Amino acid sequence: MKGSEHMEPEVNQTGQRERPPEEDRQEAQSLGVEESCRRLSGYLESILDNAGEAGLDVECLAPPCRELGEALRGFQALAEELVAYSTQLSKGDLSREFPESGSCLYSGLKNLHTNLKHLTWQAKQVTKGDYAQQVSHLGEFSEAFNVMTRQLKEREAQLKQEVQRAERRAEIIESYTEMLMELLSQRDEWMLVVDRETREVVHCNKRTKGGEEGDSYCDSCQHRLPIRPKLLEWDDSERYRVWELEEEDRGGCYRIISFPVEWKERPSWVHIVMDVTAEKMNARHLSDEIYQDNDTGIRNRLFLDEFMGQVLRERQNITMCYLDLEGVAEINTAYGREVGDAYIQNFVEIVRKNFRSGDTFARIQDDKFCLMLTGNVKHLIERKMDDILTTFQRNDERVFCHECNFKYSIVEVEGESNMFTLDKLLQQAEEIVQKKKRKHRRKYSSLDFDNW
């Protein structure tokens, strides 16, 4: 019918609206199905190559292909979102929220996102020392991470053991250092600690009481240690060295033990200095009989005169112990000179065992002796004399049960202020001994009178 062109469009059997003639004309202008399929294939390739740059005019497609075109447009949007999400994830941005899409394309990335978040938390725990963290379900990475944490735990345990050993060594070294300081503070040797960089004395065992660590030597040491400048300049690569140094002017000789230490976290040298002037002098005269007492083998009065002459000229500090051996004349009278000599030899042997070979021990008369020690060490000699007397009196049977005894006096010579000669010093010491003898006689005379 000709009038059918103006009737309402009918609905076909598929339920789709019949198109009016205008749409039929537009359809005639659209691409064919074959070309549309070619366009859709290119569009899909563009999406897979660069989703952000791909484009498609769905309206120009053949009608049967337009629905597929719209579907590919949705796929493009999904691909753009997937690329943006995976890119941020690859850069370590874990703060991005999960995409809302329920597409299966996201499931692997969402799992990776979750695992990376948990792995980040675990890594932070490891940095805090929690090496119990374990990773699973990540294949070779899990194995590598777990091996790493196990090795870190083992290494931490090793380092703790090394730290403990180092701390124990430091404590031992510090205790030994303190013990060495204490021992040397009681002896005549000097102990100087010199900073290796500044060449300053950071410790001296002869420092005056109340002196602070930053001070230099005490006044006594400045006089008694004239080799100080050479000690400050000393440098040697050896870990431990024993060496000697002689003064050019006064002829003094010093034996020095030097070694490096860390002194209060400062690289330093320790110098333990011993005055061996007397020892060297003894060695020089060892084979010269004119300086020896033939009966005892110790030094004689001639040697003492020369030795003390040098000491007094150099104004050195020295301690003199004057010894008066009692009973020699009585033993010679009662038992003969031979027994008296044995009595003297016994006494000399005991004294020599209690002092150093470098100390000067001389016989100045038959029963008078003199012991000279460098420095002011009266307290040391007093302790030694008590031990010597105890040992000497235990040996009574060696001289026919005669009571072994001796008196002694100690005179400290301050080098700078001393004005006495050797004879005057010996006279002063003899007066002290005689005073002790008179006091002893009065004591026993009083006891006899009371008994009577």
Side-chain angles (χ1 to χ4, degrees):
M1 294 176 60
K2 293 182 180 180
S4 62
E5 295 178 341
H6 304 286
M7 295 177 65
E8 289 294 327
E10 297 179 358
V11 178
N12 60 23
Q13 294 179 354
T14 61
Q16 293 181 342
R17 181 177 61 85
E18 293 288 343
R19 291 175 181 164
E22 292 81 7
E23 292 184 5
D24 291 337
R25 285 193 297 271
Q26 291 176 1
E27 182 177 347
Q29 297 174 358
S30 62
L31 300 173
V33 173
E34 183 177 353
E35 180 61 25
S36 296
C37 289
R38 198 163 27 250
R39 292 280 182 93
L40 289 172
S41 298
Y43 181 46
L44 178 60
E45 290 177 358
S46 298
I47 293 173
L48 297 177
D49 183 53
N50 188 345
E53 298 295 331
L56 176 67
D57 183 5
V58 176
E59 297 300 326
C60 72
L61 298 176
C65 298
R66 290 175 183 172
E67 186 176 354
L68 179 58
E70 293 293 342
L72 286 178
R73 275 186 174 180
F75 177 71
Q76 180 185 4
L78 180 66
E80 288 180 357
E81 186 181 42
L82 182 63
V83 168
Y85 176 55
S86 61
T87 300
Q88 293 302 315
L89 195 62
S90 68
K91 294 179 180 180
D93 181 8
L94 305 180
S95 61
R96 187 183 182 93
E97 296 296 331
F98 292 145
E100 296 181 357
S101 173
S103 172
C104 65
L105 296 177
Y106 286 98
S107 59
L109 288 177
K110 289 181 178 179
N111 289 337
L112 179 60
H113 193 167
T114 302
N115 287 336
L116 287 176
K117 273 191 171 182
H118 183 62
L119 185 60
T120 302
W121 178 85
Q122 286 182 300
K124 291 180 179 179
Q125 294 301 109
V126 171
T127 62
K128 296 177 182 179
D130 181 8
Y131 301 121
Q133 296 297 324
Q134 296 288 308
V135 175
S136 57
H137 309 303
L138 288 179
E140 293 182 2
F141 178 82
S142 298
E143 183 179 354
F145 184 91
N146 297 337
V147 169
M148 179 193 70
T149 54
R150 183 172 65 252
Q151 290 176 345
L152 286 173
K153 185 176 182 179
E154 293 172 355
R155 183 56 179 162
E156 182 188 48
Q158 292 175 358
L159 289 175
K160 286 181 177 179
Q161 291 177 354
E162 291 176 5
V163 169
Q164 290 175 353
R165 285 195 294 268
E167 288 175 349
R168 285 197 296 269
R169 284 196 298 269
E171 291 173 358
I172 292 172
I173 291 172
E174 184 176 358
S175 65
Y176 280 146
T177 302
E178 291 177 355
M179 181 179 68
L180 180 63
M181 302 301 100
E182 180 64 25
L183 290 174
L184 289 177
S185 66
Q186 305 298 323
R187 295 183 60 84
D188 189 51
E189 292 90 345
W190 295 273
M191 194 199 77
L192 283 72
V193 182
V194 179
D195 189 293
R196 294 174 66 176
E197 296 180 0
T198 64
R199 303 293 175 173
E200 296 176 344
V201 177
V202 294
H203 178 81
C204 176
N205 67 326
K206 300 297 183 182
R207 181 170 286 119
T208 54
K209 292 183 179 179
E212 298 181 358
E213 286 298 319
D215 297 339
S216 183
Y217 298 95
C218 60
D219 294 337
S220 176
C221 283
Q222 288 199 22
H223 165 66
R224 292 171 57 203
L225 198 58
I227 61 170
R228 175 183 56 160
K230 293 186 178 180
L231 290 178
L232 297 182
E233 296 171 1
W234 189 86
D235 194 2
D236 198 289
S237 59
E238 293 185 26
R239 297 290 299 171
Y240 180 90
R241 184 180 174 190
V242 180
W243 53 296
E244 293 185 355
L245 190 60
E246 292 189 11
E247 297 178 70
E248 296 179 358
D249 299 334
R250 296 187 288 182
C253 186
Y254 301 89
R255 182 174 296 124
I256 306 155
I257 301 174
S258 302
F259 53 89
V261 296
E262 287 288 329
W263 182 267
K264 297 182 179 179
E265 299 182 356
R266 299 169 69 173
S268 307
W269 288 110
V270 172
H271 301 292
I272 300 174
V273 185
M274 295 162 279
D275 188 340
V276 293
T277 305
E279 181 181 332
K280 290 295 182 180
M281 182 179 290
N282 287 345
R284 284 194 293 267
H285 296 295
L286 187 61
S287 60
D288 197 339
E289 294 182 357
I290 67 171
Y291 293 103
Q292 288 185 340
D293 177 66
N294 294 330
D295 295 331
T296 60
I298 62 174
R299 298 306 179 190
N300 57 18
R301 175 60 189 264
L302 179 59
F303 179 87
L304 184 64
D305 287 340
E306 292 190 10
F307 173 77
M308 284 301 295
Q310 180 177 348
V311 169
L312 295 176
R313 282 194 304 273
E314 296 176 358
R315 296 189 174 278
Q316 298 181 32
N317 292 347
I318 198 164
T319 303
M320 180 178 71
C321 180
Y322 180 80
L323 300 124
D324 186 338
L325 180 58
E326 297 181 343
V328 175
E330 290 82 354
I331 293 176
N332 286 339
T333 301
Y335 303 107
R337 183 63 181 265
E338 212 172 285
V339 177
D341 288 345
Y343 177 65
I344 295 172
Q345 286 282 8
N346 183 35
F347 169 74
V348 170
E349 179 184 347
I350 294 171
V351 174
R352 292 175 70 175
K353 284 182 177 179
N354 280 271
F355 289 93
R356 302 170 299 184
S357 60
D359 298 327
T360 301
F361 187 31
R363 185 182 186 183
I364 55 178
Q365 289 182 17
D366 288 345
D367 53 1
K368 303 293 192 296
F369 299 83
C370 203
L371 181 67
M372 313 299 294
L373 277 74
T374 305
N376 298 139
V377 288
K378 181 178 180 180
H379 61 286
L380 172 63
I381 298 178
E382 287 176 339
R383 290 200 306 268
K384 290 285 188 180
M385 286 301 147
D386 292 338
D387 295 338
I388 290 171
L389 184 58
T390 301
T391 304
F392 189 42
Q393 291 179 342
R394 278 204 305 264
N395 294 342
D396 284 353
E397 68 279 1
R398 299 180 60 174
V399 286
F400 302 99
C401 297
H402 180 84
E403 182 182 1
C404 300
N405 199 19
F406 64 88
K407 294 290 188 297
Y408 70 92
S409 62
I410 301 174
V411 177
E412 288 189 323
V413 180
E414 296 286 347
E416 289 293 337
S417 59
N418 176 62
M419 302 298 294
F420 293 156
T421 62
L422 174 60
D423 290 336
K424 188 64 177 177
L425 292 171
L426 291 174
Q427 181 183 346
Q428 181 182 354
E430 175 66 23
E431 290 174 357
I432 297 173
V433 167
Q434 292 302 324
K435 184 177 180 180
K436 286 184 176 181
K437 286 185 176 182
R438 289 193 296 271
K439 183 178 180 180
H440 181 76
R441 284 196 295 270
R442 284 197 301 269
K443 176 181 177 182
Y444 282 95
S445 296
S446 175
L447 289 175
D448 291 343
F449 177 78
D450 290 341
N451 291 334
W452 183 81

